[in-house]
Amino acid sequence: MKASLLLIALVGSIANAADIDGRIDLRTHLGEETDFQHLRIQPNLEFTLGDQARLFAELRYDVDVSDSLNPGRPSQRHRNRYSRQWQIDDRQTLELRELYLHWQPDWGSLRIGKQQIVWGEADGVKLLDLINPQSFSEFALPAFEESRIPLWSVDTEVWTPGGGSLQFIWQPDTTYNEFALGAAKYGFDIGNQLAQARPNKRHDLAARYKTPVGRSEIGLYWARRSLDTPALDVRSGVASIDRETLVGLSANRPIGGTVLRFEMLYSDGRPWLDSSSLESFSASMLKALVGLDWFASDQWFLSAQFTETKVRSSRSRVRDPLERAVTAALVWNSAYQRLSVEALVVYEPDHGGGFARVTATYVMNEEIEIYAQGSTFAADNTGVFRDIEGAGGLSLGVRYSF
Amino acid sequence: MRWILWPLLTLLSLLCIEQRAGAAEPDSVDAVLTAINGRPDGDHLYRTVEIKLVDRKGRSIVRAAEIWRSKDPSATRSLLVYSAPSNIRGTAFLTHDFVDAIDDQWLYLPAARKVRRISPSARGDQFMGTDFSYNDIKNENTIDDTDYRIELVAQESSTHLVVLDGEPRTQELASELGYGRVRWQVDRATWLPKRIEFWDTSGNPLKRIENEDVRLLGGYLLAHRVIAHNLKTGHTTYLETTSASYDVEISPRKLSPNALRSIR
């Protein structure tokens, strides 16, 4: 009896201290080749623990009505044991998306638990944003925050004099990117082979120093980590996860009505494919991005980025010694921000194509938004876009926030 | 004789009152501006607000936010964090307005877990989808005579109002601010504008802002209800202060871009 009363009192005080909100997202996709319907319920709880700490938890429940995004119950070999989803049946999954304790003492911030950590200045392309892997079950169509896979991590940030900060990350969870398997709507031919790799057992370590320098903000990065994309030996069909050491640099600076962004990273070894021998080999890589955001008015925003990758290798016939990507985003908000339209174009000539996505969102009231998203893919006969050329279409959805 | 004593006494009292008011009442534009701009406003202010957006058809959207503001001789730093509705909860806007340097602004979107540097908004731009402009928020009941040529239109003792007209000093400033003319009706008891009327650059009535429910809080005057009504679109923004305190110490760290990532 005493225990029951204590439990009731505890639950009551927790409910009192907790903020509960979240969203329900229902959408139907009318595709160039296939249609699908999808329901997502994502509630979160936040407990305030005194003035300096809080506990945050988020669940994600997905129903893939037509079972076309991840048909059946695909292997979760790419995920560490404690990061796996609960596959209720072929169509339903439940996932503990985030669960962390966040302590904010005067000297900085400490976040322990399953979480998302975002690095870098880039939009829509991943250079330094590599602390968490990504799910490509809908290719690159969802916003990164939707498709990013949160990992069990310890994230410490210490304030430094002059308005800077020093961040240390320890990540025992080495879950890597999720690729849609061959039969899935956004599946790749090699998806099944890539998904055979086991996560590397060695923990990841990373550090960042960020500081203002005049009107610019500069970031310096270092990481020793497992790669998020497996290396595939085409001859043997064996996929494995390699390790890399990377250093990076980021900067931003407002200039008039624009903001100039820059990001660069050097990796001591990423897997590449020798086009003559079809053997996978490791080579160092330098990748740089320049972006410009133009805030044309309170209603128009234009962003453009150019990315270039150079591979340093003694092999003469490397498939992709140089990779380029161009992205452009245009955002329009109506007066009072009830209606917004966002267009994104990604073109990767060295991967044989690109895609375009246009999303219109209308805010009906505080709880309900309706949206429409059109997407299309273009591809030549080479590269990753070939496999998903017909995957575009129109999505119509309604989002309820509670 | 008594019949004449009472009216004389009344007249004398009124003259005294008028003379007292007149003594506190500056009689030049510079003195009025000094009184308005020198009104004590506190170094630190924390408040919670409700922002109600009502369109011409009467449809409304209500948002709640927390605002921290810190002032020192070199800059005003302020942070706005939305607390409701849940789809924008945690979205934060940080601004550093420098006296002698270009302003800095950052936006934090909690879903993206990313602090985004944004270019300082044009002063005439809409502030966060409301009927206020960035300049309305930045000046907050003060009048910048480097922007406007100010003229003292009236000092009405019956209404206790001082009326000032302002015209942007140059055509470029008019375009930048989005206003061709501004009229401030200032309560001379508090030196707080009661009503501000705006005309567009073509001379058409554009907008009015009204300060209501002025309360003395910790020695400072704060309008607890500010209404901005756009006469062209018929849209109105109600900014209601639900709680406020000047008796807070806001550390510079709280208003730094580093701290944004800790919001949610």
Side-chain angles (χ1 to χ4, degrees):
Chain A
M1 183 67 184
K2 255 187 186 173
S4 305
L5 284 173
L6 207 64
L7 189 67
I8 290 168
L10 184 68
V11 170
S13 59
I14 286 172
N16 236 356
D19 274 327
I20 301 170
D21 56 46
R23 64 194 160 89
I24 300 170
D25 197 331
L26 179 65
R27 73 188 157 119
T28 185
H29 180 88
L30 311 167
E32 290 168 10
E33 288 177 356
T34 54
D35 300 345
F36 68 86
Q37 288 76 41
H38 188 259
L39 168 70
R40 170 166 291 169
I41 302 174
Q42 196 161 316
N44 66 65
L45 292 94
E46 189 172 346
F47 300 92
T48 305
L49 308 165
D51 289 343
Q52 293 187 323
R54 65 196 178 99
L55 183 70
F56 183 82
E58 185 168 71
L59 289 172
R60 178 182 273 186
Y61 169 67
D62 278 320
V63 184
D64 178 8
V65 178
S66 45
D67 195 24
S68 54
L69 292 175
N70 283 308
R73 297 186 194 195
S75 153
Q76 295 190 63
R77 190 186 286 237
H78 63 285
R79 288 177 184 255
N80 279 90
R81 180 184 296 181
Y82 300 106
S83 286
R84 287 185 180 163
Q85 299 170 325
W86 177 31
Q87 296 170 327
I88 301 167
D89 59 27
D90 287 359
R91 291 172 169 77
Q92 303 176 78
T93 55
L94 182 67
E95 181 185 3
L96 174 66
R97 185 130 174 99
E98 293 190 76
L99 174 66
Y100 60 79
L101 180 70
H102 187 194
W103 180 42
Q104 299 174 76
D106 294 337
W107 51 262
S109 159
L110 176 65
R111 215 184 279 230
I112 302 171
K114 197 176 187 207
Q115 58 185 303
Q116 296 183 50
I117 300 168
V118 181
W119 268 8
E121 301 283 340
D123 278 336
V125 260
K126 296 193 78 157
L127 262 78
L128 287 165
D129 180 12
L130 36 63
I131 300 296
N132 290 73
Q134 213 75 22
S135 167
F136 291 101
S137 58
E138 288 187 63
F139 190 58
L141 288 177
F144 277 174
E145 58 265 28
E146 288 294 313
S147 57
R148 196 176 283 122
I149 302 174
L151 298 184
W152 295 97
S153 325
V154 176
D155 174 14
T156 315
E157 203 163 359
V158 179
W159 311 136
T160 58
S165 73
L166 193 54
Q167 182 183 27
F168 298 99
I169 298 162
W170 172 53
Q171 212 161 51
D173 184 347
T174 51
T175 296
Y176 64 86
N177 287 341
E178 178 175 275
F179 297 97
L181 306 184
K185 179 171 171 61
Y186 297 96
F188 292 92
D189 287 346
I190 59 166
N192 297 33
Q193 288 168 291
L194 292 177
Q196 295 306 310
R198 288 202 174 276
N200 199 303
K201 287 184 176 169
R202 292 158 77 184
H203 300 176
D204 290 357
L205 289 171
R208 181 190 72 177
Y209 175 61
K210 205 167 182 188
T211 187
V213 177
R215 291 210 72 214
S216 304
E217 287 174 339
I218 307 288
L220 300 169
Y221 304 78
W222 172 89
R224 177 73 188 148
R225 60 186 288 274
S226 300
L227 291 166
D228 290 323
T229 302
L232 179 66
D233 190 314
V234 176
R235 282 175 186 272
S236 64
V238 174
S240 59
I241 296 289
D242 293 342
R243 304 264 298 167
E244 70 171 350
T245 299
L246 70 85
V247 289
L249 170 72
S250 75
N252 71 54
R253 185 182 174 89
I255 301 169
T258 64
V259 174
L260 188 65
R261 296 179 281 112
F262 173 75
E263 211 171 297
M264 190 171 81
L265 81 85
Y266 171 80
S267 165
D268 69 342
R270 286 202 177 173
W272 301 88
L273 189 69
D274 188 314
S275 54
S276 58
S277 65
L278 292 182
E279 277 175 10
S280 179
F281 67 97
S282 179
S284 63
M285 178 205 77
L286 187 68
K287 202 167 186 174
L289 172 143
V290 178
L292 188 72
D293 298 340
W294 181 40
F295 299 82
S297 72
D298 48 2
Q299 290 182 281
W300 289 97
F301 167 69
L302 178 67
S303 173
Q305 296 177 140
F306 177 72
T307 315
E308 193 168 281
T309 308
K310 281 187 175 172
V311 180
R312 290 174 61 83
S313 169
S314 55
R315 300 205 179 211
S316 56
R317 301 188 68 190
V318 179
R319 193 189 67 173
D320 295 312
L322 181 83
E323 287 182 348
R324 291 154 295 166
V326 179
T327 61
L330 180 67
V331 180
W332 173 81
N333 283 301
S334 71
Y336 311 111
Q337 300 178 348
R338 278 222 176 216
L339 177 66
S340 67
V341 180
E342 184 184 334
L344 173 73
V345 179
V346 176
Y347 177 55
E348 297 183 14
D350 307 293
H351 278 145
F355 72 94
R357 180 186 81 191
V358 180
T359 312
T361 307
Y362 181 72
V363 179
M364 296 190 73
N365 54 41
E366 290 88 346
E367 288 94 23
I368 299 172
E369 292 172 347
I370 52 173
Y371 63 90
Q373 184 182 81
S375 57
T376 187
F377 295 85
D380 60 18
N381 287 328
T382 62
V384 292
F385 291 97
R386 183 191 52 187
D387 293 344
I388 50 170
E389 194 181 1
L394 177 68
S395 283
L396 301 169
V398 57
R399 195 176 295 128
Y400 173 75
S401 301
F402 56 92
Chain B
M1 280 299 281
R2 260 190 200 174
W3 65 272
I4 203 165
L5 199 62
W6 280 112
L8 270 174
L9 280 172
T10 311
L11 186 63
L12 201 64
S13 312
L14 282 173
L15 281 171
C16 285
I17 290 167
E18 190 60 29
Q19 204 179 359
R20 267 190 71 193
E25 186 180 283
D27 54 4
S28 70
V29 172
D30 286 345
V32 169
L33 289 178
T34 304
I36 293 168
N37 295 338
R39 189 174 48 81
D41 200 20
D43 290 340
H44 300 285
L45 171 64
Y46 165 75
R47 60 177 163 160
T48 56
V49 296
E50 187 183 275
I51 303 163
K52 188 174 180 183
L53 307 167
V54 184
D55 70 11
R56 67 161 73 225
K57 291 177 182 166
R59 293 174 304 182
S60 66
I61 286 182
V62 182
R63 296 171 180 162
E66 290 180 278
I67 302 173
W68 290 262
R69 190 202 68 194
S70 169
K71 280 184 174 180
D72 63 41
S74 66
T76 298
R77 295 173 177 82
S78 57
L79 171 65
L80 180 146
V81 182
Y82 283 110
S83 50
S86 66
N87 60 351
I88 57 165
R89 191 175 172 198
T91 299
F93 177 68
L94 174 67
T95 176
H96 290 180
D97 292 333
F98 296 102
V99 175
D100 292 323
I102 302 167
D103 299 341
D104 273 326
Q105 292 177 347
W106 295 265
L107 188 66
Y108 176 68
L109 300 169
R113 302 291 200 280
K114 203 168 180 179
V115 178
R116 184 172 199 126
R117 185 87 178 262
I118 56 178
S119 71
S121 303
R123 294 195 290 168
D125 282 357
Q126 262 188 321
F127 176 76
M128 306 289 276
T130 68
D131 289 286
F132 298 99
S133 72
Y134 279 90
N135 204 53
D136 299 336
I137 298 291
K138 184 178 176 176
N139 283 349
E140 210 186 1
N141 296 321
T142 61
I143 299 171
D144 189 345
D145 63 345
T146 58
D147 286 339
Y148 297 100
R149 260 190 304 272
I150 310 287
E151 189 185 330
L152 186 62
V153 177
Q155 297 195 65
E156 296 168 18
S157 49
S158 58
T159 54
H160 299 279
L161 288 178
V162 177
V163 183
L164 297 163
D165 267 9
E167 251 184 65
R169 288 186 179 274
T170 62
Q171 199 55 46
E172 289 75 34
L173 271 172
S175 305
E176 193 183 317
L177 295 162
Y179 307 137
R181 191 179 134 213
V182 186
R183 169 167 287 182
W184 293 270
Q185 295 183 16
V186 182
D187 184 342
R188 64 180 168 187
T190 60
W191 296 114
L192 201 65
K194 273 178 89 99
R195 185 185 174 104
I196 312 169
E197 292 165 284
F198 301 86
W199 285 260
D200 67 15
T201 47
S202 308
N204 302 310
L206 174 66
K207 185 169 81 173
R208 67 167 179 264
I209 294 177
E210 287 159 304
N211 282 318
E212 295 182 355
D213 192 13
V214 176
R215 296 184 214 167
L216 191 64
L217 197 75
Y220 304 103
L221 287 164
L222 182 69
H224 278 58
R225 190 182 311 113
V226 186
I227 304 164
H229 180 61
N230 188 310
L231 301 165
K232 281 189 170 174
T233 63
H235 195 279
T236 307
T237 301
Y238 298 84
L239 182 72
E240 192 107 29
T241 298
T242 45
S243 71
S245 174
Y246 285 94
D247 188 22
V248 285
E249 192 62 42
I250 301 169
S251 76
R253 195 74 72 193
K254 173 79 189 172
L255 302 180
S256 76
N258 279 338
L260 292 178
R261 214 172 66 86
S262 296
I263 287 172
R264 202 166 195 210

